[in-house]
Amino acid sequence: MSLEVHIEKKLDGFTLRADFAAGNRSTALLGASGCGKSMTLRCIAGIIKPDRGRILLDGRVLFDSEQHIDLPPQQRSVGLLFQNYALFPNMTVEQNLLCGLKAEKDPAARRAACTEMLKAMRLESLAKRYPAQLSGGQQQRTALARILVGKPHILMLDEPFSALDSYLREEVEGEVGSLLANFAGTALLVTHNRDEAYRLCRDMIILHEGQVLRTGATKEVFADPRSIAAARLTGCKNILPCTRLDEHTVRLTGWNAAVTLTLPVPEGCTAVGIRAHDLAPCPPGTPNSIPVKALSTSENPFDWNLICTPPEGTEQLWWKVSKTTLSAPAPLPPRYLWAPPESIMPLQG
């Protein structure tokens, strides 16, 4: 399975330019709220018409503005799970699933497919209940079952955990992760949560204000986001302005420190990113050491956050320390923090 999206759609404040391809793998569409993620899914599903461009699924044209092709949603073989699940409130779980089988004209085949999906999604005991009688997790399983029973070629999930209480998220996320891993077609997950994207998807597309900033394997995108905006969206707290010295060296602005990078430093590099958990205290004179002065300390259930500044300056550097690595109740304020060359990310923009 393969999906190609090359579309434009004018929105309030910016123009969405979604330009990417997704293969037969789970792919996260990561971005802040309002950046055009959900609109992209709706354009793929045929609910919203793009202003121009093309959408192809396995070589079949779903939309082409120049050729005046715009297939209706029911002909696209696309399954879209909305944030609110969009279950029919006056229908039972079983009846909701049967709505996903309208294309099947044989009543016996419809009933058999419905029964099989109820069993696969562990909904057999809930078949006669109405959506209002279900928990959030049960509603989500029902909505997914209604989509999957129609055997879509592409599965799209729009913020699937946003309507769940926090205690349900882990359980439901595990189910969705298993579903995405075993889905036979293209799967897109829209989220603004970088942890969800990292855990659930092998590939990633970063969207910022309607523009695709970065695509690739999820771990590669996290290791080398390439732009300041993409680094922030992947959760990097330390974005340090710098001046490029050579292909593998930069000087950090305000810190009186030069650091070496494993990744090549492009000509347009204006900052580097260092994730807070990649820093460690070190003795003076250690290569890639950064002089710091502790500003504040805060405790989390499983780690500590220390915010540091230069000995003379106001820039800030976050250091995250796992409690499992500490022999003392709290980390001692460091004089120098060390960043490994392979963990320093050159950034532009």
Side-chain angles (χ1 to χ4, degrees):
M1 303 291 178
S2 63
L3 172 71
E4 294 181 40
V5 178
H6 314 283
I7 57 171
E8 292 186 12
K9 178 71 175 176
K10 188 166 181 58
L11 305 176
D12 291 339
F14 63 90
T15 297
L16 170 65
R17 293 184 176 89
D19 190 1
F20 62 87
N24 192 23
R25 290 151 61 103
S26 56
T27 300
L29 196 56
L30 177 69
S33 297
C35 73
K37 305 186 304 295
S38 296
M39 179 61 71
T40 300
L41 294 196
R42 281 157 175 74
C43 288
I44 296 170
I47 300 170
I48 300 291
K49 183 179 179 179
D51 296 334
R52 63 184 62 84
R54 300 183 79 209
I55 302 173
L56 293 90
L57 180 60
D58 295 335
R60 186 168 67 104
V61 179
L62 306 184
F63 173 80
D64 190 313
S65 57
E66 291 187 359
Q67 298 184 39
H68 305 289
I69 298 173
D70 185 17
L71 297 185
Q74 58 269 26
Q75 293 182 17
R76 297 195 177 200
S77 193
V78 170
L80 172 58
L81 178 69
F82 293 95
Q83 293 181 25
N84 61 359
Y85 309 141
L87 295 171
F88 298 114
N90 60 334
M91 293 184 180
T92 64
V93 168
E94 183 179 46
Q95 290 168 336
N96 266 280
L97 264 65
L98 287 171
C99 285
L101 286 162
K102 288 183 177 179
E104 176 58 67
K105 302 305 179 185
D106 182 355
R110 291 181 72 217
R111 182 65 59 184
C114 180
T115 300
E116 183 181 348
M117 185 55 64
L118 286 169
K119 182 179 180 180
M121 297 297 284
R122 306 194 317 279
L123 293 168
E124 293 171 291
S125 62
L126 306 174
K128 302 302 181 183
R129 292 192 188 181
Y130 291 89
Q133 300 172 309
L134 304 176
S135 68
Q138 292 166 343
Q139 288 182 25
Q140 186 184 67
R141 290 213 311 275
T142 301
L144 284 168
R146 186 178 64 184
I147 291 171
L148 293 173
V149 77
K151 298 182 178 179
H153 291 164
I154 176 172
L155 176 64
M156 303 191 298
L157 311 180
D158 188 1
E159 299 279 4
F161 313 111
S162 63
L164 299 179
D165 294 330
S166 57
Y167 73 94
L168 274 176
R169 283 178 179 251
E170 286 190 16
E171 176 187 350
V172 176
E173 185 184 302
E175 294 178 355
V176 171
S178 177
L179 171 65
L180 292 175
N182 295 309
F183 184 66
T186 301
L188 291 180
L189 169 72
V190 155
T191 181
H192 63 270
N193 185 309
R194 55 86 190 265
D195 294 335
E196 289 174 4
Y198 191 91
R199 287 192 296 263
L200 295 173
C201 296
R202 296 171 65 187
D203 290 336
M204 177 175 289
I205 299 162
I206 295 184
L207 197 64
H208 177 65
E209 295 180 351
Q211 310 294 313
V212 174
L213 294 184
R214 181 80 162 88
T215 64
T218 298
K219 291 184 178 181
E220 293 175 4
V221 172
F222 268 73
D224 184 18
R226 298 182 185 172
S227 70
I228 292 173
R232 286 188 173 131
L233 286 168
T234 59
C236 184
K237 288 185 175 295
N238 297 317
I239 310 292
L240 308 180
C242 70
T243 301
R244 182 184 188 273
L245 298 181
D246 58 43
E247 189 178 3
H248 289 281
T249 313
V250 301
R251 179 168 293 280
L252 303 179
T253 304
W255 296 86
N256 191 30
V259 294
T260 300
L261 290 69
T262 299
L263 288 169
V265 180
E267 292 287 349
C269 178
T270 58
V272 295
I274 306 174
R275 300 195 185 277
H277 61 268
D278 284 331
L279 293 164
C282 66
T286 302
N288 273 29
S289 62
I290 305 170
V292 296
K293 177 178 66 177
L295 180 65
S296 66
T297 303
S298 59
E299 183 179 8
N300 298 315
F302 305 108
D303 54 42
W304 291 85
N305 284 332
L306 275 77
I307 301 178
C308 303
T309 65
E312 296 180 6
T314 58
E315 295 86 356
Q316 292 189 350
L317 186 69
W318 289 69
W319 176 35
K320 184 181 288 290
V321 190
S322 171
K323 288 183 177 179
T324 60
T325 65
L326 288 176
S327 57
L332 297 174
R335 290 183 55 211
Y336 293 88
L337 287 174
W338 171 75
E342 63 273 15
S343 298
I344 306 176
M345 304 172 290
L347 306 172
Q348 301 185 65

